[in-house]
Amino acid sequence: MSKISDLLRQIKNLEIQTKDLVEGVESGAYNSKFRGGGIEFSEVREYIPGDDVKRIDWNVSARHNSLYVKEFVEENELNIYLILDLSASTNFGFKKSKLDLSFEVAASLMFLALKNNDRLGLGIFTNQLEKFIPSKKGKRQLLRIIKELIEYEPKNKDTDILKSLSTLKNKLKRKSVIYIISDFLSDNYEKPLKFLKLHHEVILINISDVKEREIPNIGYAYIEDAETGEQLLVNTSSKSFQKQYSEIMKQKIEENQNSMKKIGIDMINLTDQESFDITINRYFRNKWRMKN
């Protein structure tokens, strides 16, 4: 019984912590971002004079020797997927671990989806997609997903975004809005993102920590890679080492952002310098303004 009460308390705490984002995102901005062109293919029918010629299905028309157009229906609900990186590198953090921040961000987006009566699903990955829960509507689904996140023990430490997303794209059966929450400390994952973007709305939420861009001055110390366990003795007091470390981290962040810009995928960058609800609210508002 104590385990259940502890879980309910954690869920309640998450609901309180995420209140600012859920209340702060105007429904108009949220709906406009995803539902503005919210139409889904339904069927083909014979062409009627006055129909938009852009909707003509030339393949079907050729088979029937008559003009046919594609019919679409408006999507009344969104299919939301939260895809979380639970590899070892997300345990890093000074004020708060990146993992804790990931949970809070994910829970916020879940309660936002619940508020808007959207379907909700979950993916958990490390060097592979370890867990996948198909989307459903309702509070019971939300509670199931939060329980899974709180109790889940990752099977692997390292990260492979390419492999994980390649598996994910084969599991999604209908058009979805996909939030991928990670520190993106992995290489060469543009290709599966391009494939996902063909059929889905993809948003990357980059959970980083300001301290990762700097190295604390503590003299000689071992730096350990959280995912591989490899250790390296370095002199953190060295100005040249501090500069080199900062430049490498800065370059990595810039490369990530530039790669995503090239393929047209939004990346929301969160840090410990600003509350995440402010950053994400600003994203929705800016996207809403661009559409209106």
Side-chain angles (χ1 to χ4, degrees):
M1 180 66 71
S2 61
K3 186 176 179 182
I4 295 174
S5 61
D6 286 346
L7 178 63
L8 291 174
R9 186 162 51 250
Q10 289 181 71
I11 291 171
K12 187 64 180 176
N13 287 339
L14 277 173
E15 188 171 9
I16 293 169
Q17 291 165 12
T18 63
K19 187 178 179 183
D20 287 343
L21 176 64
V22 177
E23 293 185 350
V25 174
E26 304 95 334
S27 60
Y30 177 83
N31 291 334
S32 175
K33 167 70 181 111
F34 302 120
R35 290 188 174 87
I39 53 174
E40 193 173 44
F41 174 73
S42 174
E43 60 183 356
V44 293
R45 61 167 173 78
E46 284 197 75
Y47 175 84
I48 299 173
D51 282 338
D52 187 347
V53 294
K54 293 179 181 178
R55 289 166 50 196
I56 294 176
D57 189 320
W58 295 106
N59 291 328
V60 175
S61 298
R63 287 200 301 271
H64 292 273
N65 200 27
S66 180
L67 288 179
Y68 279 78
V69 294
K70 294 178 181 178
E71 192 76 271
F72 295 88
V73 294
E74 191 170 340
E75 290 178 311
N76 294 319
E77 62 191 37
L78 294 177
N79 211 42
I80 305 288
Y81 274 97
L82 283 301
I83 311 299
L84 270 76
D85 177 359
L86 295 193
S87 60
S89 65
T90 59
N91 288 316
F92 180 89
F94 282 79
K95 294 181 180 179
K96 178 186 294 183
S97 77
K98 290 185 287 184
L99 186 62
D100 288 342
L101 181 56
S102 295
F103 280 12
E104 288 180 18
V105 172
S108 296
L109 295 169
M110 289 178 206
F111 284 112
L112 184 60
L114 181 69
K115 177 185 174 184
N116 284 274
N117 202 33
D118 293 326
R119 298 166 64 90
L120 186 64
L122 174 72
I124 293 173
F125 73 93
T126 52
N127 62 357
Q128 61 183 322
L129 187 65
E130 294 191 2
K131 186 79 178 181
F132 181 80
I133 299 177
S135 64
K136 288 183 181 179
K137 290 173 66 172
K139 193 163 188 177
R140 180 175 293 182
Q141 173 77 344
L142 179 143
L143 294 176
R144 177 194 174 191
I145 288 175
I146 292 181
K147 180 177 184 292
E148 188 70 52
L149 279 178
I150 291 172
E151 297 183 343
Y152 191 80
E153 294 290 337
K155 298 179 179 66
N156 303 283
K157 288 186 175 183
D158 52 330
T159 315
D160 191 331
I161 299 178
L162 187 152
K163 182 180 178 182
S164 302
L165 296 187
S166 297
T167 304
L168 175 68
K169 69 181 176 63
N170 295 323
K171 291 184 173 290
L172 300 174
K173 304 304 181 186
R174 54 176 291 188
K175 183 179 178 182
S176 304
V177 177
I178 306 168
Y179 294 98
I180 302 173
I181 304 174
S182 173
D183 55 15
F184 296 99
L185 298 178
S186 180
D187 296 320
N188 304 319
Y189 50 84
E190 289 87 354
K191 188 175 180 180
L193 282 175
K194 287 180 182 178
F195 279 112
L196 284 173
K197 187 177 182 292
L198 290 175
H199 304 287
H200 310 283
E201 178 85 29
V202 182
I203 300 164
L204 309 185
I205 300 182
N206 184 16
I207 307 288
S208 60
D209 192 291
V210 172
K211 295 299 182 184
E212 281 183 310
R213 306 178 195 183
E214 305 168 356
I215 194 79
N217 185 351
I218 54 174
Y220 282 93
Y222 281 100
I223 295 179
E224 179 177 313
D225 188 310
E227 298 186 357
T228 65
E230 183 181 352
Q231 291 186 335
L232 180 67
L233 181 64
V234 299
N235 180 10
T236 63
S237 301
S238 167
K239 295 294 183 184
S240 60
F241 175 76
Q242 290 176 3
K243 182 179 179 182
Q244 183 183 20
Y245 179 89
S246 296
E247 286 176 352
I248 289 172
M249 294 305 296
K250 182 181 178 182
Q251 182 181 357
K252 181 71 176 175
I253 293 168
E254 288 177 353
E255 285 175 356
N256 272 346
Q257 292 174 343
N258 291 335
S259 295
M260 294 308 103
K261 281 181 182 178
K262 285 179 182 177
I263 60 178
I265 289 181
D266 291 341
M267 176 179 273
I268 305 174
N269 294 291
L270 306 184
T271 73
D272 58 4
Q273 292 181 315
E274 180 178 72
S275 177
F276 73 84
D277 60 287
I278 295 174
T279 309
I280 295 177
N281 267 314
R282 184 166 58 243
Y283 168 77
F284 281 118
R285 285 197 302 270
N286 288 342
K287 285 296 177 180
W288 180 76
R289 290 192 189 104
M290 288 171 64
K291 277 198 167 190
N292 291 277

